[in-house]
Structure formats: structure tokens, C-alpha cells
Amino acid sequence: MAVPIAVLDCDLLLYGRGHRTLDRFKLEDVTDEYLVSTYGFPRQFICYLVDLLGATLSRPTQRSRAISPETQILAALGFYTSGSFQTRMGDAIGISQASMSRCVANVTEALVERASQFIHFPKDEATVQSLKDDFYGLAGMPGVLGVVDCTHVAIKAPNAEDLSYVNRKGLHSLNCLMVCDSRGVLLSAETHWPGSLPDCTVLEQAALTSLFETELHKDGWLLGDSSFLLRTWLMTPLHIPETPAEYRYNMAHSATHNVIERTLRTIRSRFRCLDGSKGTLQYSPEKSSHIILACCVLHNISLQHGLDVWSAPATGHMEQSEEEYEQMESVDSEACRVRQELLLTHFS
């Protein structure tokens, strides 16, 4: 005789059948100060996300149809900015921890679907020129289209046999390749690379390299640190500067490249799920990569809304680039010629 199996809904157990929806929390009932302290963002920003993602999050599904887009977004923001699924967060908006997890998954995928809308290089000539002008205003480095760096985000071990995510510190991580403009707006974010890969290998295999070698390199170059190889479209510092021009070049390079370092620190400060203070991301590499990318999308949206993310103090345990102290020597003679011409033209 077949035994019927009941599928239990955690929220049904908690709140009973009388609740058609789980909208126990109302934005209009609390202050902006409370929203910022609990969910990391003010009311206007949260309302924008509801408008942006509402249609996607309202798609009926068997398990989460009762949770409104607003509640799903609050749950996800609570996790991104605190790094925790603590019951207190679920209690605040009236859902269980299991539903919190489903909300994070739904909102994460909705943001990832829109990543190319918010993270991209400018296309029109006027915007490209403005990008270079803004960088030049920082420290006198001409032709800069972006600053690039890698950063590691700790994840749980996929399985005992898979060592591809073990970085040089013996930790499991994703090595994330990021590019930003002079304001800290991300222009590129590749968050899926295994932690065992050196920065130079990540860049060699990245979509970013294909983009610059086929389209963007004629307009200028990126700035990268010494963990990358010099290329015609990627200017790195001189390993041992000898002349005044070389020292001036390195100083301008360092001051300009500092923007990406500052940006990565503040992304971790705002999105505590990435900073390691609450432990590693307890997801598969693919899901962890999507969470990182979702945070990158939110970072750019926050800048569009005038939120000064650089005002937040750096917190947590930041995983620096694994290759930050390695010096890479280029064998690209054309790249060396381009850098030498830059030295002679602008720093001599």
C-alpha cells in the first residue's frame, strides 16, 4: 500500500494557513535608518530594486509563490550585507531560514541576469574620452580605460578530491577578476575562476583579454599591477625604475591603480557575505560566483543612486591577490615599445 508523503512548507508551519502571503514586514512602517542598519540600503534604493526585479521575482513557483518581491529582496539584502541567515533576520520580515535561503537564490539569479546591463565598458566615443579624462585627473596617467586587479573570495570546499579551488594559502576560494573606472564603478567582473589559478593565468583566459585584443585596445589601455604581464593594452609598473621618468611613471601608475584596491575593499565592507568574517560562502563554486556577481551589480546600482560606498570603513578579513608580490616580466616586445613611448611622451 502506497503511503502518501506530505511536502511541508516551513513558513506554513511557522505562520499557519491563515497567511496568504508573508508580507509581515512593511517598508513604510520603519525608518530609513533602520533599513540601512539592518539591510544595508535606504528605502529609495530598495524600492528601485522592487521595480527592477519585481516581475522576475513574481513568477509563480511551487515553493515560493507566497513571498512578495519586496520580502525576497529584503531577505537577500540582509544576507548580502550581514553574511548571515540568522533567525533574527528572518523574524524581522516574517519568514523562515529555509525561505531566506530560497529568497537569496531567487534575487541572486535575477541580478545576475541583469549583470550586463549594469557592468560594461562604455561604447560611445564621448563617454570613452570622459573615462580617460577622469583617470588622467587622478595622477596624470593618460589613455587609461580602467584599472584591473584580482581578489579571492573564500568558499566551502566543493569536495575532497577537487584541488582546483585551493589557493596558495591553502584555502578554497574563487579568484575574481575586476575592472573599475575612476569612481569605482565596475566595468568588468569575472567571478568564477578557481582559486588555484594565478592572476596572470586568469587574465590570459578571461573574456576581458579577448575584448581588449579584438575591440578596445586601440582606444587606450588598462592598468594592472606586477602580477600581470605587460601587454599593448595593459600597462604594468616597471620592476626596477632607474630614471626620473620611470619613477614618475610608477608613481602615477600606483596612484591610479589604487582605485581598484579601494573599490574591492569597500565592496567587501558593504557586502559582508564576501569578507570572510562570517565564514566562507557555503555554496557550490557556481552559486558562490553568482552571489559575488550579484553584489557587484548592487555595487554599481548603488553608485548610480549616489550612495557613497567609499565612506564605509573597511572591515573583515580581506583576501588580497595571491600574486601581489610576484614580479612578472613581459616578453612582448611591442608592449615594451608602447610603454617606453608612454614614458618618453608623458613622463620625461
Side-chain angles (χ1 to χ4, degrees):
M1 177 179 177
V3 178
I5 298 175
V7 178
L8 300 180
D9 188 295
C10 296
D11 298 305
L12 183 63
L13 291 175
L14 284 172
Y15 305 116
R17 294 184 179 278
H19 289 270
R20 302 281 301 175
T21 66
L22 300 173
D23 296 337
R24 297 165 60 85
F25 181 94
K26 297 295 183 183
L27 281 176
E28 59 268 23
D29 294 338
V30 297
T31 64
D32 256 12
E33 289 75 14
Y34 174 82
L35 290 173
V36 171
S37 65
T38 307
Y39 303 103
F41 294 94
R43 188 187 326 274
Q44 183 179 8
F45 182 89
I46 295 170
C47 290
Y48 172 82
L49 291 182
V50 173
D51 291 340
L52 177 69
L53 308 177
T56 301
L57 298 176
S58 296
R59 291 182 300 200
T61 63
Q62 184 178 359
R63 301 186 68 185
S64 62
R65 61 183 178 275
I67 305 179
S68 72
E70 178 181 288
T71 302
Q72 292 184 63
I73 287 168
L74 287 171
L77 291 179
F79 170 71
Y80 297 148
T81 58
S82 73
S84 173
F85 280 131
Q86 289 179 347
T87 305
R88 179 185 62 82
M89 185 69 69
D91 287 346
I93 53 179
I95 63 175
S96 67
Q97 183 169 319
S99 289
M100 280 277 296
S101 181
R102 292 199 297 272
C103 291
V104 170
N106 292 343
V107 174
T108 295
E109 293 311 306
L111 288 168
V112 168
E113 288 175 5
R114 291 160 177 79
S116 61
Q117 176 183 346
F118 294 99
I119 303 175
H120 56 81
F121 282 91
K123 299 291 186 182
D124 63 282
E125 291 185 9
T127 307
V128 170
Q129 186 58 52
S130 176
L131 185 66
K132 290 191 281 191
D133 291 344
D134 290 343
F135 271 119
Y136 186 81
L138 293 179
M141 181 69 75
V144 180
L145 295 172
V147 284
V148 59
D149 206 352
C150 283
T151 188
H152 287 252
V153 176
I155 63 172
K156 73 172 183 178
N159 56 64
E161 290 75 29
D162 189 352
L163 299 180
S164 64
Y165 292 92
V166 179
N167 61 36
R168 291 186 357 177
K169 296 181 180 179
L171 305 174
H172 290 82
S173 68
L174 291 168
N175 196 1
C176 305
L177 181 71
M178 308 282 193
V179 180
C180 75
D181 69 10
S182 63
R183 294 176 50 237
V185 175
L186 294 172
L187 305 174
S188 177
E190 298 185 37
T191 60
H192 62 283
W193 297 103
S196 65
L197 292 181
D199 294 358
C200 59
T201 303
V202 168
L203 182 61
E204 182 180 345
Q205 299 178 10
L208 180 67
T209 292
S210 177
L211 177 66
F212 267 80
E213 290 185 345
T214 59
E215 297 180 34
L216 296 179
H217 73 282
K218 295 174 185 156
D219 295 319
W221 40 69
L222 300 177
L223 296 187
D225 64 19
S226 296
S227 64
F228 300 112
L229 287 170
L230 179 70
R231 299 169 183 261
T232 56
W233 49 268
L234 176 65
M235 295 292 103
T236 60
L238 290 141
H239 180 28
I240 305 176
E242 297 178 347
T243 68
E246 291 175 346
Y247 276 102
R248 284 192 289 269
Y249 166 85
N250 270 14
M251 289 178 63
H253 187 291
S254 177
T256 308
H257 186 265
N258 182 60
V259 174
I260 184 67
E261 299 167 7
R262 189 179 180 192
T263 298
L264 294 176
R265 284 196 299 270
T266 54
I267 288 175
R268 289 176 181 275
S269 175
R270 176 160 294 238
F271 302 106
R272 300 292 298 276
C273 67
L274 308 181
D275 74 0
S277 64
K278 300 291 184 179
T280 61
L281 284 174
Q282 296 297 302
Y283 297 91
S284 67
E286 180 182 9
K287 289 184 178 180
S288 296
S289 169
H290 284 186
I291 287 173
I292 300 167
L293 185 56
C295 291
C296 291
V297 172
L298 289 172
H299 168 78
N300 275 9
I301 295 176
S302 68
L303 287 175
Q304 287 184 4
H305 281 74
L307 300 181
D308 183 10
V309 296
W310 281 358
S311 66
T315 58
H317 304 85
M318 176 145 181
E319 286 288 332
Q320 293 285 354
S321 167
E322 290 291 303
E323 275 62 56
E324 61 178 337
Y325 298 114
E326 286 192 1
Q327 300 292 335
M328 305 295 296
E329 294 296 336
S330 177
V331 295
D332 186 337
S333 59
E334 178 61 16
C336 291
R337 185 197 65 78
V338 171
R339 185 170 65 181
Q340 187 62 29
E341 183 177 332
L342 177 61
L343 278 163
L344 294 173
T345 304
H346 293 278
F347 295 97
S348 294

